[in-house]
Amino acid sequence: MKISGAAVFAIAIASVEAFSPASVQQRNGATALFSTTEGSKPRTKKEGRLGFFKSEKFHRKGFKEVRDNVEDTINEQYQSSLVDDLKSSNYVIEKDNVKVYLAKDFGFCWGVERSIALAYEAVRHYPDRKLHITNELIHNPEVNDRLTEMNVNLIEKLGEGKKNFDVVEDGDVVILPAFGASYEEMDFLDKKNVEIVDTTCPWVSKVWNTVDSHQRKGLTSIIHGKYGHEETVATTSFCEDYICVKDMKEAEMVADYMANGGDREEFLKYFKNAVSEGFDPDKMLEKVGLANQTTMYKKETKAIGQLFQKTIMQKFGPSKVDEHYYEFDTICDATQERQDAVTELVENGNDYGLDFILVVGGWDSSNTAHLLEIPHHQGIRSFHINRADCISADNTITHRTVEGEIVTEPFLLNLDKDLVLGVTSGASTPDAAVQDALSQIFLLKKMQDAAKEGSAVKSD
Ligand code: SF4
């Protein structure tokens, strides 16, 4: 991995669409903390967002004078010679009776590289200021630990969507993470005397533009995403009427209500945390637009889109589909490419003789969790670990299952043969984390082989 400053910053910021005035609705949850109208006339959320960007205190392009220095630091901390070797040897390597196949697309996406670079530049550009971040920068423990080591304060969560912004004082610097921040947080910070460094990935901003276009067309946004995920929390804050569906089962519940109606109270009870305030399923499912969390499983988003399109067609007739349904694919390329690459590994799994597939990435990382689902659903033994030390010298592995449980189980099962594994990593995982995990496996295999032979292992 070599991060180029030019590449990182030659990224087009998501296009800005025209907007039409509309009244601002107050929302529940965090909105109660932050007024959207205080000190200025009411405005649309998109108008408000564009207003934030115009402020001299709102920084979206980084700080040139420290860029080269930051680029060197990032490469030093996160790149891996082992992963570079794997890439240059056609994504396969053999060492100490272990054969490793690396997925063709894996690891840091440009949105994450950009976000880390902007955060590091902020630290260097404001050496004497207190810095805060409104959430984890990305879902990766090593990267977040590094920011903590650089004295960036992670603003404490107080529960029920509230955070302790009391610690932010005049003159401080506040970093917004790669998933973005909610409208209410941006509005609140805009009114304070602080510098804001916005590292939101442009793909996420694209989703916000999509839900904004739903509002202009008078559509309810159906968001394929997890309502509690930081990115979806931010996206819903830019919506007026919305409902979140996390998977096909929930999409089918919504489609069924659209087509046939149902028990309104039961429906609202089930989706109580996943809908906008005052959501009325009898009125608000007549005209809908689909958007998604950028890191969802692409095949599922597509299937959900087809389900709603079919439901609308059956209810209103084919000629009325455009009037009642709008879809815009907002799965980011990085997510799709990593899913395609692990699918290819799975398809070749028998030919390669894979014992298992290892997925490396933060346990809270949605895109990493989806990478696990692909081999899991094909019946291939697979593990999602967040750090190398999930692999223990006692030949156990601690991993996150597709159901989200953290479990520990025996790891290398057949000690009489060479080990063959596939490996991939999420979009927020540094190559160095993959190297650490593989090194742990090489060492463990060596230990197991030595124990079998009755000799002691020498560490490299
Ligand atoms: S996974 Fe996609 S949306 Fe998320 S940071 Fe990377 S490029 Fe942006």
Side-chain angles (χ1 to χ4, degrees):
M1 176 192 69
K2 175 80 181 155
I3 297 175
S4 127
V8 168
F9 291 95
I11 293 163
I13 301 297
S15 68
V16 173
E17 296 173 16
F19 57 83
S20 61
S23 64
V24 174
Q25 254 183 323
Q26 282 291 85
R27 296 212 169 279
N28 57 0
T31 314
L33 283 174
F34 314 112
S35 160
T36 56
T37 58
E38 187 188 313
S40 61
K41 62 181 178 160
R43 53 193 181 179
T44 63
K45 293 195 172 172
K46 178 136 192 188
E47 186 183 355
R49 185 156 55 96
L50 299 182
F52 307 147
F53 296 167
K54 284 182 194 147
S55 164
E56 283 181 357
K57 293 183 292 160
F58 201 95
H59 309 278
R60 304 175 73 206
K61 293 183 178 164
F63 305 98
K64 271 191 191 151
E65 83 285 358
V66 288
R67 190 156 300 157
D68 288 346
N69 191 287
V70 159
E71 193 183 319
D72 291 344
T73 305
I74 292 176
N75 286 326
E76 197 180 297
Q77 290 180 345
Y78 299 123
Q79 73 180 8
S80 147
S81 53
L82 177 65
V83 170
D84 289 345
D85 286 351
L86 262 158
K87 285 199 278 192
S88 60
S89 55
N90 205 19
Y91 294 81
V92 56
I93 211 167
E94 231 173 327
K95 185 174 183 258
D96 298 335
N97 301 333
V98 180
K99 191 168 190 180
V100 179
Y101 288 92
L102 175 67
K104 301 273 166 46
D105 271 297
F106 63 96
F108 274 176
C109 60
W110 60 261
V112 160
E113 288 178 355
R114 174 181 176 275
S115 182
I116 296 173
L118 289 173
Y120 274 49
E121 286 183 19
V123 172
R124 299 266 161 96
H125 183 76
Y126 296 108
D128 303 321
R129 306 273 192 108
K130 241 166 71 186
L131 284 97
H132 311 268
I133 186 160
T134 59
N135 231 317
E136 290 187 339
L137 184 74
I138 56 170
H139 282 140
N140 178 266
E142 285 95 354
V143 174
N144 293 317
D145 287 353
R146 298 263 190 199
L147 285 175
T148 305
E149 283 162 18
M150 292 192 280
N151 293 323
V152 177
N153 167 52
L154 176 63
I155 291 177
E156 185 193 4
K157 288 184 183 162
L158 300 174
E160 296 178 1
K162 293 179 185 155
K163 292 182 194 163
N164 182 14
F165 278 95
D166 288 352
V167 292
V168 180
E169 295 172 342
D170 273 8
D172 287 357
V173 178
V174 182
I175 300 170
L176 309 183
F179 331 100
S182 71
Y183 180 89
E184 291 78 16
E185 285 182 6
M186 284 197 201
D187 192 47
F188 172 77
L189 294 170
D190 183 55
K191 293 181 175 88
K192 280 188 82 79
N193 182 24
V194 294
E195 303 292 331
I196 302 166
V197 178
D198 180 15
T199 80
T200 306
C201 175
W203 274 99
V204 175
S205 312
K206 196 170 145 191
V207 180
W208 298 347
N209 288 337
T210 301
V211 296
D212 184 68
S213 69
H214 293 165
Q215 289 158 42
R216 292 202 313 275
K217 292 171 195 288
L219 308 172
T220 295
S221 299
I222 299 182
I223 298 162
H224 177 215
K226 297 167 187 162
Y227 68 78
H229 187 280
E230 294 89 333
E231 182 191 316
T232 301
V233 169
T235 298
T236 56
S237 78
F238 291 98
C239 294
E240 295 299 339
D241 304 319
Y242 70 84
I243 181 165
C244 300
V245 293
K246 72 170 188 295
D247 53 22
M248 181 52 94
K249 179 185 153 241
E250 291 191 353
E252 281 168 351
M253 289 167 70
V254 174
D256 186 50
Y257 200 100
M258 261 179 181
N260 309 310
D263 185 330
R264 188 173 184 280
E265 294 318 309
E266 275 298 306
F267 184 89
L268 287 174
K269 192 171 154 199
Y270 182 88
F271 286 104
K272 68 177 187 301
N273 295 316
V275 291
S276 46
E277 193 177 340
F279 189 84
D280 183 348
D282 295 320
K283 291 187 184 143
M284 294 175 181
L285 295 176
E286 294 278 299
K287 292 186 174 188
V288 297
L290 185 67
N292 55 269
Q293 194 179 308
T294 50
T295 50
M296 296 308 276
Y297 187 32
K298 186 181 171 74
K299 279 191 181 154
E300 190 172 54
T301 299
K302 280 202 155 171
I304 286 172
Q306 282 162 0
L307 171 72
F308 287 128
Q309 205 165 8
K310 196 170 139 205
T311 307
I312 293 283
M313 202 183 290
Q314 283 168 352
K315 184 166 178 184
F316 298 102
S319 65
K320 296 282 184 191
V321 171
D322 289 350
E323 216 178 287
H324 290 264
Y325 182 70
Y326 177 79
E327 184 180 320
F328 190 76
D329 184 358
T330 47
I331 289 271
C332 83
D333 287 346
T335 298
Q336 191 189 336
E337 285 159 7
R338 279 148 192 73
Q339 290 175 1
D340 291 347
V342 77
T343 302
E344 193 187 325
L345 258 189
V346 166
E347 285 167 356
N348 291 319
N350 278 342
D351 292 345
Y352 293 163
L354 294 184
D355 291 297
F356 59 82
I357 289 181
L358 186 74
V359 180
V360 187
W363 278 333
D364 290 334
S365 162
S366 169
N367 81 83
T368 311
H370 291 304
L371 294 180
L372 178 74
E373 287 170 13
I374 295 168
H376 174 83
H377 291 319
Q378 294 303 316
I380 293 187
R381 196 167 181 241
S382 38
F383 305 102
H384 172 186
I385 62 168
N386 71 341
R387 285 181 188 266
D389 60 14
C390 288
I391 297 164
S392 295
D394 65 0
N395 194 16
T396 60
I397 183 164
T398 300
H399 64 106
R400 185 185 187 276
T401 67
V402 286
E403 290 82 25
E405 274 179 85
I406 309 297
V407 299
T408 300
E409 63 177 91
F411 185 33
L412 306 184
L413 300 182
N414 187 350
L415 303 178
D416 293 326
K417 68 182 263 308
D418 288 358
L419 177 66
V420 186
L421 68 128
V423 66
T424 186
S425 56
S428 47
T429 310
D431 288 356
V434 174
Q435 170 161 335
D436 291 348
L438 290 177
S439 301
Q440 199 83 336
I441 291 174
F442 292 136
L443 183 60
L444 179 63
K445 176 68 174 148
K446 233 176 177 182
M447 284 168 58
Q448 298 291 324
D449 288 348
K452 207 175 67 185
E453 303 294 328
S455 61
V457 66
K458 277 189 204 151
S459 181
D460 288 332

